[in-house]
Amino acid sequence: MKAVRFALRSFGRELRSGEVLVLLAAVGLAVAALTAVGFLTDRIGKAVARQANEVLAADLRLRSQAPVPDEWRELAAGYDLQTADTLSFPSVVFHGDDNALSTIKVVSERYPLRGAVRVSDELFGEQREVDGIPAAGEVWADGALLARVGADVGDVLEIGELQLTVSAVLTYRPDQSIGFASLAPTVILNISDIDSSGLIGEGSRVRYALLVAGDESNVAAFNEEIQGILPDEIRVRSQEESSERAYNAADRAQRFLSLTAVISLLLSAVAVAMSARRFAQRRMDTVALMKSLGATQGFVITVSLVQLMLLGVLGVAAGSITGYVAEELLASVLSDLLAGTLPDTGLRPVILASGSALVLMLGFALPAMIQLRNTPPLRVLRHDVMPPAPSRLLVAGLSLAAVAALLYRSVGDARMLLILVGGIIVIAGALYLVGRGLVAVIGRARSGVGVAWRYGLANVARRGRDSAVQVVAFGLGITVLLLLTIVRTDLLEGWRASLDENAPNHFLINIQPHEVDAVGALFAQNDIEVPTFTPLVRARMTTINDESVKDREYPNRDGEWLANREANLSWSAELSSSNDIVDGEWWPVDYAGQPLASIEEEAAMNAGLTIGDRLNFTVAGREVEAKIASIRKVNWDSFQPNFFIVLSPGALDDMPTTFISSMRIPDEKQPMLIGLMRAHPSISVIDLGAILEQVRGIIEKASLAVQAVFLFTLAAGIAVLFAAVQSTIDERRFESAMLRALGARRRTVFAGVMAEFAALGAAAGVLASAGASVLAALVAVQLFDLPYEFNPVIWVAGVGAGILVVCISGFFAARGAVNAAPVDVLRGAPA
């Protein structure tokens, strides 16, 4: 108890020391970063995933050619999940003497479970979100359908045996397809009207779907349970399949947040290690005096550990509050993204961050405490007497074990940890060697410069190992800051590039061959760039390598579904800009030999296909055989016409063909589409604007979260720099006092200190630039699937940042030592 009381009494005095403040800041930043990132990763991750799920109108969709059994709804209810039913089928819609083919979308209450339907009160009018579904006896009709049959809001449409009033123009529904099956505009009607419509009878081709949504863990548990009992006719679609671009945006944002947490923790660990080392060194004289007065080792270590734990508690409290406040501020900024029934911020991130910080302190400070315990009493008389240092293997083992456990517990991504920790260990070793080399070179080559530079460079050479350690600390701080800056920039630029302002916002489908020239002319008359028209042939695969597709075994159900469904084929002489060959070769532009095929890589993997396999198709009663010549990676979210299978030119000559196209139509020219649809009623126009807006919103909010959390890492990096400066602050104070007592001007002494920091910063900046470039390439390619191009500017920025940031940090941290009155320093200075 005496040791505890003594520790508490002296704790207030200890708080005023620089190394304790840096230690406190390092712990607080670690907790704040982990807490805020924990909250944000959880809440933003779920929010972005849910927004991405809008393309399903649910978290999970079960689709079938037969009515979904009630047992599935009951099973979902058992997991506390919401459900809604949809039916879709083609039918002719009449308005007076006019008629048009339409896709009838029948929906139940609570549709959609994710996202919202948008309507307008007139064609091309202002959109608004609606809550609910059309009332019984009413419909929401696509503007393209109304244009074709000459109807407007308030008119009556005949659908089967029903007379339904158009109550709104349908402009967007979350689960609208942009595929080639959407050959007709949509009409949404209430499921209560379907029984009296006479539209569904025996043999009707109806697609049924059960939409499921709710808590993420409950959805996952429901999905896992149904996988083993799913009938062949039911396919399940989840968020990973819903929208590649939206899902990738969410996944990359979460990965960057985790990366930021990892790097913040690593930087905080370096700052804690350096501060704890100085924490122990500053107490050696006090411990020696205590021992000479009879204090036991147990008393000494108890006092140190109590004070260390008090610092940990204060750091945890300050960090938790900072992290929580930061998360709440960000949550308010992202309120529109985080709207909905998202989980409240619980205590789990705080508990995890607090435990991590305390383990961090023990892992990096305990070795220093062990050394402090062994301080000999003789140090009272001889300040150069040092206690025996603990085993370096013990120090490194405890520290690395603590960090590895915390990192894996925080992110659970072994590949990320291997790349980051392995890369940083290699860079730290290289920095240390560079630091030792710098010391050796400067020791021989500091003549011929001014007084301030000679003093600064002499300090670098004289401190030797401490200078090398400072180069390591400075270099690591700059490396990870450059790394995050590069990855963050590449990530944001990649997102922006994927949302090209000139990306297509409309699809035209079912263009007949004789209509191609007329449609092109219509675009030209309205000063809109004439789009490219891509051919489309409907076919069915019959055999693979002479084996029936029905009898063949496939790696998974998606492959079986792909081989047995009705296929959309195209042909092309040139490779699409949204495609890349990953295996094999594309045929020559003037190829005229036997039919060749190029297949999308995931489709090839699911169906077990490879280069050289022979595919047979039936097209309008005729057989076509093609050999696979290449495998392609397709960017399905490019909003360009893309196909699983593309054939070589001439393979589908004289086959029944329609054309599709994508184009960008400015808002002010979109009314021309009414004329196009009336002149060519068989053509379907699909508006992609709402989908583009949805994805753009996801990416913008994820980008904002990424940039906000980046600030925590900047703060952690600054803490490392301050800790590195603080590690030699006592020597600097004594040296400055001696020089000023001997007549040196304060300006000269301060210039010498800045010269020392400039040399250390330049050395750290050079290697940090190299290390950051290599790590950025690994992280960008391996973790974020982003292209990486070497940028020489990073070397200029690295060296400049090294000199500037280290000098600024050194200025604020060392000015007190230089400005201290010599008489005050020398009275209590070490010998």
Side-chain angles (χ1 to χ4, degrees):
M1 290 302 295
K2 289 182 180 180
V4 174
R5 286 197 297 270
F6 181 81
L8 293 174
R9 284 200 305 270
S10 59
F11 184 66
R13 183 174 65 252
E14 301 289 352
L15 282 177
R16 291 192 292 272
S17 62
E19 76 282 354
V20 171
L21 291 177
V22 174
L23 182 59
L24 187 62
V27 174
L29 282 170
V31 175
L34 288 176
T35 301
V37 170
F39 284 138
L40 286 170
T41 300
D42 183 52
R43 298 185 71 187
I44 292 178
K46 286 184 172 62
V48 173
R50 287 187 178 182
Q51 193 164 347
N53 281 356
E54 283 190 15
V55 295
L56 294 179
D59 295 332
L60 206 65
R61 185 175 73 190
L62 286 73
R63 194 174 66 187
S64 173
Q65 299 297 326
V68 177
D70 290 335
E71 290 77 17
W72 298 100
R73 299 180 188 84
E74 294 170 2
L75 183 60
Y79 283 97
D80 196 26
L81 300 174
Q82 289 187 325
T83 60
D85 289 276
T86 69
L87 297 77
S88 58
F89 53 89
S91 181
V92 176
V93 174
F94 293 87
H95 176 244
D97 295 330
D98 295 314
N99 64 81
L101 180 66
S102 176
T103 296
I104 308 300
K105 183 80 171 181
V106 183
V107 298
S108 68
E109 292 292 340
R110 291 191 287 203
Y111 171 87
L113 298 180
R114 293 284 180 254
V117 174
R118 299 177 193 172
V119 301
S120 64
D121 295 324
E122 59 183 356
L123 284 172
F124 297 104
E126 186 175 348
Q127 300 182 52
R128 56 184 172 84
E129 290 188 356
V130 290
D131 184 14
I133 62 175
E138 296 181 358
V139 292
W140 297 336
D142 192 306
L145 174 69
L146 298 178
R148 288 179 187 176
V149 298
D152 208 337
V153 175
D155 290 343
V156 175
L157 300 180
E158 296 179 34
I159 305 177
E161 299 177 8
L162 299 173
Q163 303 278 328
L164 301 171
T165 302
V166 179
S167 57
V169 178
L170 175 65
T171 60
Y172 171 75
R173 58 183 174 87
D175 55 345
Q176 66 187 34
S177 170
I178 61 171
F180 305 132
S182 303
L183 296 178
T186 302
V187 170
I188 293 183
L189 61 91
N190 194 306
I191 199 170
S192 63
D193 288 325
I194 196 64
D195 289 338
S196 57
S197 67
L199 292 170
I200 299 179
E202 186 175 352
S204 297
R205 296 187 60 185
V206 181
R207 288 186 296 176
Y208 297 85
L210 177 66
L211 308 183
V212 179
D215 180 76
E216 182 181 18
S217 59
N218 291 345
V219 172
F222 170 77
N223 191 18
E224 183 178 356
E225 180 168 344
I226 64 175
Q227 287 302 319
I229 55 176
L230 274 179
D232 291 339
E233 67 270 14
I234 293 184
R235 296 188 72 239
V236 179
R237 207 166 177 218
S238 58
Q239 77 173 39
E240 289 85 353
E241 304 171 90
S242 58
S243 170
E244 182 181 350
R245 183 180 299 187
Y247 184 74
N248 284 344
D251 181 61
R252 286 174 175 175
Q254 287 182 295
R255 277 183 175 269
F256 190 90
L257 292 174
S258 296
L259 180 69
T260 304
V262 168
I263 289 179
S264 297
L265 192 61
L266 285 172
L267 287 173
S268 298
V270 174
V272 167
M274 300 191 71
S275 301
R277 177 170 169 262
R278 186 163 180 263
F279 179 86
Q281 288 177 345
R282 283 288 300 268
R283 277 146 190 78
M284 286 181 183
D285 291 341
T286 303
V287 170
L289 180 61
M290 291 167 62
K291 282 192 171 184
S292 67
L293 295 176
T296 63
Q297 281 192 345
F299 182 87
V300 170
I301 198 65
T302 300
V303 170
S304 299
L305 287 177
V306 168
Q307 291 182 346
L308 194 65
M309 292 307 295
L310 287 173
L311 283 173
V313 171
L314 280 179
V316 165
S320 299
I321 294 172
T322 303
Y324 180 80
V325 170
E327 190 275 337
E328 286 297 310
L329 288 174
L330 283 172
S332 65
V333 172
L334 306 175
S335 58
D336 55 336
L337 175 64
L338 298 178
T341 56
L342 290 177
D344 293 330
T345 52
L347 293 178
R348 184 176 178 276
V350 174
I351 294 172
L352 178 61
S354 302
S356 299
L358 294 177
V359 173
L360 195 69
M361 287 193 66
L362 289 176
F364 281 90
L366 191 58
M369 294 299 101
I370 293 173
Q371 184 181 20
L372 185 63
R373 182 190 64 178
N374 296 323
T375 303
L378 182 61
R379 187 177 169 84
V380 174
L381 302 176
R382 292 182 55 189
H383 291 285
D384 59 339
V385 176
M386 296 291 293
S391 166
R392 292 188 179 181
L393 184 61
L394 173 65
V395 174
L398 282 174
S399 304
L400 289 176
V403 171
L406 291 178
L407 292 178
Y408 189 76
R409 181 68 183 86
S410 298
V411 299
D413 190 331
R415 187 171 60 160
M416 178 188 291
L417 297 184
L418 182 63
I419 292 173
L420 279 181
V421 177
I424 286 176
I425 289 174
V426 171
I427 291 172
L431 283 166
Y432 185 78
L433 293 176
V434 168
R436 297 298 284 184
L438 179 69
V439 169
V441 170
I442 287 178
R444 302 189 187 95
R446 62 176 185 268
S447 58
V449 294
V451 174
W453 276 99
R454 281 203 304 275
Y455 168 58
L457 297 179
N459 281 346
V460 173
R462 182 170 48 79
R463 289 196 175 94
R465 179 175 174 274
D466 285 341
S467 293
V469 170
Q470 285 186 314
V471 169
V472 173
F474 292 146
L476 286 180
I478 297 167
T479 295
V480 295
L481 292 179
L482 287 175
L483 168 65
L484 276 188
T485 301
I486 294 171
V487 174
R488 167 182 163 274
T489 302
D490 287 348
L491 188 62
L492 297 178
E493 287 182 354
W495 279 342
R496 293 189 185 105
S498 72
L499 290 176
D500 185 0
E501 291 298 325
N502 295 317
N505 60 358
H506 284 83
F507 250 113
L508 297 187
I509 294 177
N510 203 33
I511 306 170
Q512 299 301 315
H514 66 273
E515 295 178 307
V516 171
D517 291 340
V519 172
L522 187 59
F523 278 100
Q525 291 169 12
N526 285 274
D527 295 325
I528 300 173
E529 183 180 354
V530 178
T532 300
F533 297 96
T534 304
L536 167 67
V537 172
R538 306 286 287 178
R540 186 170 291 276
M541 192 184 300
T542 55
T543 64
I544 298 174
N545 296 328
D546 298 325
E547 182 181 4
S548 171
V549 294
K550 296 185 182 298
D551 301 331
R552 193 171 186 268
E553 292 187 1
Y554 299 90
N556 54 51
R557 295 181 59 175
D558 285 340
E560 182 179 3
W561 171 80
L562 176 75
N564 284 275
R565 75 178 189 128
E566 192 172 18
N568 299 299
L569 304 181
S570 185
W571 70 86
S572 177
E574 297 180 351
L575 183 67
S576 169
S577 61
S578 59
N579 291 204
D580 292 303
I581 299 294
V582 295
D583 192 12
E585 295 182 355
W586 188 260
W587 42 80
V589 175
D590 57 353
Y591 180 79
Q594 292 298 313
L596 299 177
S598 179
I599 186 168
E600 190 265 343
E601 61 173 344
E602 189 172 350
M605 179 181 64
N606 290 336
L609 299 175
T610 187
I611 302 294
D613 285 345
R614 289 175 292 107
L615 309 178
N616 279 73
F617 300 91
T618 296
V619 184
R622 297 166 59 183
E623 289 290 326
V624 175
E625 180 178 284
K627 184 171 70 173
I628 297 178
S630 64
I631 296 176
R632 295 166 294 121
K633 182 176 183 179
V634 177
N635 177 12
W636 293 108
D637 286 326
S638 64
F639 297 112
Q640 297 179 16
N642 277 306
F643 299 82
F644 284 113
I645 300 173
V646 177
L647 301 186
S648 56
L652 298 173
D653 284 353
D654 302 324
M655 298 294 182
T657 304
T658 60
F659 289 84
I660 63 173
S661 185
S662 63
M663 73 292 297
R664 179 160 193 84
I665 302 176
D667 291 344
E668 66 275 11
K669 295 186 177 182
Q670 289 194 18
M672 62 86 62
L673 292 172
I674 297 178
L676 184 150
M677 288 183 287
R678 286 178 175 165
H680 304 279
S682 64
I683 296 177
S684 292
V685 179
I686 300 176
D687 186 355
L688 304 178
I691 297 174
L692 280 168
E693 182 184 340
Q694 173 200 13
V695 176
R696 186 175 286 113
I698 293 172
I699 290 178
E700 285 178 355
K701 300 307 180 183
S703 301
L704 181 58
V706 161
Q707 296 181 73
V709 178
F710 178 66
L711 297 176
F712 283 104
T713 307
L714 290 177
I718 292 171
V720 169
L721 300 179
F722 268 85
V725 174
Q726 286 286 334
S727 65
T728 56
I729 202 69
D730 290 333
E731 294 178 44
R732 297 183 192 282
R733 185 180 289 110
F734 180 65
E735 290 168 1
S736 299
M738 287 292 295
L739 289 171
R740 290 180 60 196
L742 294 174
R745 292 188 301 173
R746 181 186 304 172
R747 180 181 301 175
T748 302
V749 175
F750 197 78
V753 173
M754 289 296 101
E756 177 186 355
F757 285 133
L760 295 175
V766 169
L767 203 59
S769 300
S773 298
V774 174
L775 268 181
L778 287 173
V779 169
V781 174
Q782 296 296 323
L783 299 182
F784 293 95
D785 195 25
L786 291 171
Y788 177 78
E789 294 183 5
F790 173 75
N791 187 355
V793 175
I794 198 63
W795 287 78
V796 177
V799 175
I803 296 173
L804 184 64
V805 174
V806 172
C807 285
I808 291 175
S809 301
F811 171 80
F812 286 107
R815 64 177 180 172
V818 176
N819 292 333
V823 65
D824 294 335
V825 175
L826 294 175
R827 280 175 178 171

